[in-house]
Amino acid sequence: MDQSGAFEICPVCQWEDDGQGDSNLDVVRGGLNGDLSLQQARLNFAAFGACSEEALPFGR
């Protein structure tokens, strides 16, 4: 990704970079990330390789 907060989709995990960072990990911002917080997306990635189960077929 070129720049944080540019709303690019990560080709690996499918998270939309909405500029959220470590200071607000548990905030749910909606948008393409739906009802996921960054913290939950990170836990999901560690567990099964994508930010959500729905995104799994689209990531690397």
Side-chain angles (χ1 to χ4, degrees):
M1 292 190 200
D2 295 331
Q3 176 182 341
S4 179
F7 298 96
E8 294 181 62
I9 306 296
C10 175
V12 176
C13 72
Q14 297 297 298
W15 176 261
E16 179 187 32
D17 181 7
D18 58 6
Q20 192 168 9
D22 290 340
S23 64
N24 56 4
L25 283 174
D26 293 320
V27 174
V28 175
R29 291 188 170 181
L32 289 179
N33 296 323
D35 60 355
L36 288 175
S37 67
L38 180 56
Q39 179 65 25
Q40 186 60 55
R42 287 177 175 177
L43 292 170
N44 291 349
F45 183 77
F48 51 80
C51 66
S52 68
E53 288 186 53
E54 295 82 12
L56 195 54
F58 305 104
R60 289 189 196 152

